[in-house]
Amino acid sequence: MTTPGRRTAVARLVQLLTALALLAVLTACAGSGDRHVTVMVPWTAQDEFGAFYSVVEDFEHDTGIQVDVQVTRALTQQLDAAVAADAPPDLAVLPSPAAIAHYVRGSAPDLEPLDARTVDPGAYLEPFRGLAQVDGATYAVPVKIDVKSLVWYDTETTDTPRTRSTDALHTFVREGRLDWCLGLASGPTSGWPGADWIADIVLADAGTRAYASWAAGRLPWTDSAITRAWTRWRDLVGTATLKKASEAGFTEATQAMAARKPDCRLAHGARSALAAALRKEPRFDFVAPAAHAPLEVSGDFIGMFTDDNPAARDFVHYLSGARAQQTWVDAAGSAAFSARTDGIVYRNAVQQRIAALLKPASGHPLCFGAADMMSPDTAAAFYRAVLDYADEGGDVSKLMDRLQQVQTSLGAEQVPQGDICSGPG
């Protein structure tokens, strides 16, 4: 028989254990509720942001970690300001290898290295893998990539161009009396579509070695291979189209291709930059590059600016994995391609063909966009020169002299060390 005193002791013990258990649950809940990570991204378009956010939602569901997303079109300027104020986000998209180098090699390094537990560098294609590293350490993860060297057309209204060489396209445009859908306006980075196109012409005409040397600041802007690319771009697009392009946004300009009576028929650039209508309609296709032709590529990277938030490291690890990459690719309206070497499935025929171009077996050397390899100030001067050339035309040699002066004054301290190009050539 249990005595009243013993019953009281047992009851108190039960109450104490219950209270301790409740306290443990509350503490765990509070701990998981406090786990959050901030990330700054440049994806303002609904489709592009929605694709990324589908990955965020899966991560939050699986881990209980809250992701606070800061969206800005002026990412470089806003991130610089936040870093200068010693208040950076935990993570941020870095739109170029030059940005990675900038935040690693600055007077007070801001990016944190990512260890092998966070990301496996061997899981990624070149040149993206090497360009995420500085001095052998990995500082960023390539979360989405694309091919810039593509010429787009409507298969229902336009004959298929035979090749994407500048000379062949020039003849095709002239004989067909076709106009390009081109816009150069893009907020703080206005001019980039022209810079990408000029770089693509340098790559096609001068080859990978000259291209890489120019992007790294060793081949001068005044070299004939560079000046010729500017004039060939002007001749291909036409002065009237260039004049209009400085006031139009690139994505909005490509939207005109989808009109019932389009006033332009061709576009140049990455699939991710096209208007949503062109990405959703299977009739819009790109001209197949010639065998072994070098291709200009792009990539968005994620870097970590904190060393004391394990949740940030968890999110980077998640983003680097095949599951998150597949979710990103599959999201409605997504234009993402993965830099992973394994396991990503593309449902759309056009996506499959672009993804195949990014694989080593394609035989295409892949070269990162030249402007994205330059120091931020040099790239900004490049974009400004594109706008000036589109608006005013004139003597390209004077523009190149001015760009060379900028390059010389800034030097090449922040040019990434990794190989700009990968593959044969």
Side-chain angles (χ1 to χ4, degrees):
M1 180 175 178
T2 304
T3 64
R6 186 171 180 179
R7 283 199 301 270
T8 301
V10 170
R12 287 176 178 171
L13 179 59
V14 170
Q15 290 174 343
L16 177 60
L17 292 175
T18 301
L20 289 173
L22 180 60
L23 179 62
V25 170
L26 291 173
T27 301
C29 291
S32 64
D34 287 339
R35 296 187 73 199
H36 70 278
V37 55
T38 56
V39 56
M40 186 180 292
V41 305
W43 303 309
T44 56
Q46 182 176 351
D47 286 347
E48 199 170 26
F49 178 79
F52 169 66
Y53 204 72
S54 66
V55 179
V56 170
E57 289 178 319
D58 282 355
F59 174 75
E60 290 180 328
H61 178 269
D62 290 350
T63 65
I65 297 172
Q66 178 182 339
V67 179
D68 300 324
V69 184
Q70 303 170 1
V71 185
T72 173
R73 288 190 66 182
L75 183 138
T76 300
Q77 294 83 352
Q78 191 161 327
L79 183 58
D80 278 347
V83 169
D86 199 25
D90 295 320
L91 307 172
V93 170
L94 302 170
S96 69
I100 298 171
H102 171 69
Y103 288 115
V104 172
R105 295 183 185 160
S107 56
D110 300 293
L111 274 179
E112 294 296 322
L114 304 174
D115 58 28
R117 293 173 299 173
T118 304
V119 58
D120 173 16
Y124 293 96
L125 299 165
E126 292 287 13
F128 310 100
R129 177 174 67 214
L131 293 174
Q133 298 177 330
V134 178
D135 297 327
T138 299
Y139 283 91
V141 175
V143 290
K144 70 188 193 78
I145 62 175
D146 210 339
V147 179
K148 294 184 174 185
S149 299
L150 300 179
V151 173
W152 296 88
Y153 69 104
D154 186 342
T155 59
E156 294 182 0
T157 64
T158 307
D159 292 337
T160 303
R162 289 186 297 276
T163 74
R164 52 171 287 276
S165 73
T166 303
D167 289 337
L169 285 171
H170 189 274
T171 300
F172 181 78
V173 168
R174 186 178 67 250
E175 291 178 350
R177 297 181 180 179
L178 304 175
D179 286 328
W180 290 91
C181 302
L182 175 62
L184 298 174
S186 184
T189 56
S190 292
W192 70 260
D196 282 351
W197 202 340
I198 291 166
D200 196 21
I201 295 173
V202 173
L203 179 59
D205 291 355
T208 58
R209 291 184 181 180
Y211 176 90
S213 181
W214 166 57
R218 296 187 295 271
L219 184 70
W221 289 87
T222 52
D223 188 272
S224 60
I226 311 306
T227 57
R228 184 169 57 247
W230 285 73
T231 57
R232 281 167 67 77
W233 177 59
R234 178 197 62 201
D235 294 344
L236 174 61
V237 177
T239 54
T241 298
L242 282 181
K243 190 75 174 177
K244 292 186 296 183
S246 61
E247 299 297 326
F250 178 79
T251 301
E252 292 75 16
T254 62
Q255 177 68 38
M257 284 178 66
R260 182 172 298 178
K261 294 183 178 181
D263 55 9
C264 57
R265 303 279 183 160
L266 299 168
H268 174 281
R271 184 173 184 268
S272 57
L274 299 176
L278 274 66
R279 290 188 272 111
K280 293 175 181 177
E281 291 287 343
R283 75 177 196 266
F284 295 103
D285 202 354
F286 64 92
V287 183
H292 309 299
L295 301 175
E296 185 184 12
V297 296
S298 63
D300 284 336
F301 301 80
I302 288 277
M304 187 168 67
F305 289 80
T306 179
D307 63 356
D308 61 359
N309 184 357
R313 198 170 292 274
D314 289 346
F315 191 37
V316 172
H317 178 71
Y318 186 85
L319 289 172
S320 71
R323 179 186 171 192
Q325 291 284 290
Q326 187 67 64
T327 299
W328 207 326
V329 166
D330 288 344
S334 174
F337 295 90
S338 175
R340 287 188 64 89
T341 60
D342 62 342
I344 305 301
V345 178
Y346 297 89
R347 323 289 180 186
N348 176 287
V350 172
Q351 286 179 305
Q352 291 169 2
R353 290 173 53 220
I354 296 174
L357 296 175
L358 292 161
K359 301 295 185 182
S362 73
H364 294 286
L366 304 180
C367 296
F368 214 89
D372 294 330
M373 301 298 296
M374 299 172 183
S375 66
D377 288 339
T378 302
F382 188 5
Y383 300 156
R384 182 69 253 171
V386 167
L387 296 177
D388 290 345
Y389 193 55
D391 275 340
E392 302 166 11
D395 185 358
V396 72
S397 63
K398 293 182 179 178
L399 275 179
M400 297 305 99
D401 286 340
R402 197 164 71 203
L403 284 172
Q404 187 57 42
Q405 290 172 5
V406 172
Q407 175 72 63
T408 302
S409 67
L410 293 172
E413 297 87 355
Q414 294 171 346
V415 173
Q417 294 173 321
D419 290 336
I420 295 173
C421 300
S422 68

